Amino acid sequence: MRRLALLVAVAALIAASCGDDADDDPQPTAEPAPAAEEAPAPSDDPEEVEEAPAPAEEAAPAEEAAPAEDATEAEAAVEEPAADAEPAEEMPAEESSDPMAVDLSGACPNPLVLQTDWFPSPEHGYAYRLIGDVGELDTENGVYRGPLLETGIDLEIRAGGPYLGFAPTTATMQLDQGIHFGYVNTDEQIAAWDIVPTVAVAAPFDTNPQILMWSPEAYSFSSFEDIGQSDAAVVYFAGGVFIDYMVDAGILRADQVDPSYDGSPARFVAEGGAVVQQGFATSEPWLYENALEEWGKPVDFLLIHDSGFEIYAQPLVVRAAVLEELRPCLELVVPIFQQAVIDHYADPGPTDAVILQIVEDLASFWVLYPGQMEYSSATALALGNVGNGPDDIVGNMDDARMERVTQLLKDVLQGVPQDIEASDIYTNEFIDPSIGF
């Protein structure tokens, strides 16, 4: 069944997101510079307004000088304000509009737990930014925990992949009720609906950075239809729903798709790039050209999003069963995540250094490079993977798009409940519409 294949392969799909260092002898990771200390946030207290004293009323000129003995009384009369004069009104203190300047201690669990889908990666930067370099790392379990800004609670970010036994995030959220947020793609949400229903509450990525790539020396494709009309083999991780969609839609041919991809660049290199392979726009193009010595050349690609497979990648989801319980927290913390996306992509350097250090300290097969981190952020912005949707808001999900995607997935995935509605799997009610690029 396609749905079962998807759930089994989700972790493998994620593994492609930053290259194939597990299979090659990677170049040693450069020692990252320590994260720059962020300047303290400016005070949100409004400036004190100094009250001007009420002006004294002008006394009418006396025709004759007052006797000396009445001088004191005359002075008092001049200085005494009119009986009906009202004191100047104090300026009311303005409430802060900074979504970061909130106290979460009475509204959110402590720690607030975010389960990611892979090792710390460039795409996770906005979340790690909320802790910065003051967190503590549990290297055995891949957990980074520290104060969530100055909100009064801690944020705990858990790595996925091997730390979950390569299980999908949804399966982990079902077993561990202590997880409050998870990274779960829209297709996984629907595939796992009858196992653990989830609701997306924010989408830091507006479009999916997943790609099909090839060597420009072998092919000059300008559309997915061009690929379908060629003799190129399309290799992908088994269970990739986007391939099922493209075959069902007549974009690709069933006889050209090959689910044997295992994350290794060996076949791509051996065939001189004369094969179409899945990857991520924010990772593989840089890795193949700069870190893969046996290739060392550019690749071309098309974004899978542009084929009509418009899922949201790594939205923040909560279990549907606890949404109401978490509502007071979501109202305050979702705008914090939105603002963190803006802040991270405006200045990714400090958080990139934190992630590089965490990956180095984990001392696993996972390797990141400083150049890769810089490329990832710049490319995500340039391609519109990160940015506002059709409006001026970051993090919200487009209603019409979600309707299309939900119907598409119900048609492609076998065995999923056909009564799922788009409104079941996402909500924009916690999004702050004033936050955007």
Side-chain angles (χ1 to χ4, degrees):
M1 293 174 63
R2 288 176 178 171
R3 181 173 61 143
L4 179 58
L6 168 66
L7 292 176
V8 172
V10 165
L13 281 166
I14 299 162
S17 67
C18 283
D20 315 292
D21 300 291
D23 302 276
D24 302 312
D25 291 326
Q27 299 175 11
T29 307
E31 180 77 18
E37 182 175 341
E38 293 185 14
S43 170
D44 296 310
D45 294 328
E47 296 180 1
E48 293 182 3
V49 180
E50 184 177 346
E51 288 187 24
E57 291 188 26
E58 185 178 345
E63 293 182 4
E64 296 180 7
E69 59 265 28
D70 296 332
T72 304
E73 290 180 14
E75 288 174 9
V78 172
E79 293 175 4
E80 184 179 347
D84 57 350
E86 295 183 4
E89 259 185 52
E90 285 191 14
M91 295 289 291
E94 294 181 6
E95 292 185 8
S96 170
S97 60
D98 182 359
M100 304 298 205
V102 296
D103 182 358
L104 299 179
S105 58
C108 293
N110 189 10
L112 192 65
V113 177
L114 168 59
Q115 178 63 65
T116 71
D117 52 9
W118 191 239
F119 284 94
S121 302
E123 295 81 9
H124 306 170
Y126 72 93
Y128 283 91
R129 183 182 183 89
L130 295 174
I131 300 175
D133 62 357
V134 298
E136 294 184 0
L137 177 64
D138 176 350
T139 56
E140 182 178 352
N141 297 301
V143 174
Y144 189 64
R145 175 174 173 170
L148 196 168
L149 302 176
E150 297 181 1
T151 61
I153 68 168
D154 281 1
L155 176 63
E156 182 173 293
I157 305 174
R158 300 181 182 178
Y163 298 99
L164 302 180
F166 295 98
T169 305
T170 46
T172 306
M173 293 179 73
Q174 179 196 22
L175 297 173
D176 187 347
Q177 305 294 304
I179 296 172
H180 307 112
F181 291 98
Y183 287 168
V184 180
N185 290 0
T186 311
D187 50 348
E188 185 187 344
Q189 278 190 273
I190 290 183
W193 181 255
D194 57 358
I195 300 172
V196 53
T198 56
V199 180
V201 295
F205 278 87
D206 186 58
T207 61
N208 184 1
Q210 202 167 11
I211 59 174
L212 289 181
M213 69 182 208
W214 61 90
S215 169
E217 296 175 358
Y219 300 110
S220 57
F221 301 131
S222 59
S223 70
F224 288 98
E225 287 76 10
D226 288 348
I227 298 174
Q229 294 167 11
S230 75
D231 60 356
V234 179
V235 294
Y236 67 103
F237 279 114
V241 180
F242 67 92
I243 291 291
D244 295 333
Y245 154 72
M246 290 190 194
V247 171
D248 286 356
I251 297 171
L252 299 179
R253 304 189 317 275
D255 64 358
Q256 74 179 144
V257 298
D258 178 356
S260 66
Y261 183 54
D262 61 0
S264 168
R267 180 173 177 180
F268 191 93
V269 172
E271 298 192 23
V275 62
V276 176
Q277 175 183 292
Q278 76 171 77
F280 281 77
T282 50
S283 181
E284 268 82 358
W286 187 92
L287 284 168
Y288 274 58
E289 183 173 359
N290 298 281
L292 188 61
E293 292 182 359
E294 43 286 39
W295 184 255
K297 296 179 288 186
V299 298
D300 273 352
F301 61 84
L302 289 169
L303 285 166
I304 288 171
H305 175 86
D306 293 336
S307 73
F309 193 74
E310 302 173 307
I311 65 166
Y312 283 94
Q314 297 179 338
L316 289 164
V317 309
V318 300
R319 287 181 294 113
V322 298
L323 187 144
E324 288 305 319
E325 178 185 338
L326 289 175
R327 178 176 293 278
C329 177
L330 295 172
E331 290 172 348
L332 297 174
V333 81
V334 167
I336 290 178
F337 283 122
Q338 288 178 266
Q339 188 62 48
V341 173
I342 301 288
D343 295 344
H344 173 65
Y345 283 94
D347 182 20
T351 308
D352 286 353
V354 171
I355 292 175
L356 284 165
Q357 187 63 58
I358 292 173
V359 168
E360 181 176 320
D361 291 344
L362 289 173
S364 70
F365 65 83
W366 181 244
V367 178
L368 290 176
Y369 304 89
Q372 175 187 2
M373 302 292 285
E374 295 171 7
Y375 168 86
S376 179
S377 297
T379 300
L381 288 170
L383 295 178
N385 302 139
V386 172
N388 300 334
D391 46 31
D392 296 326
I393 307 169
V394 67
N396 62 334
M397 288 151 280
D398 182 71
D399 296 333
R401 175 176 161 188
M402 285 299 293
E403 291 285 350
R404 293 194 303 271
V405 169
T406 301
Q407 187 57 55
L408 180 154
L409 292 169
K410 288 196 294 185
D411 292 343
V412 171
L413 290 169
Q414 298 176 2
V416 300
Q418 291 299 301
D419 59 352
I420 300 176
E421 300 292 339
S423 57
D424 294 330
I425 64 172
Y426 84 105
T427 180
N428 287 323
E429 62 184 301
F430 305 111
I431 294 291
D432 185 336
S434 71
I435 301 176
F437 283 93

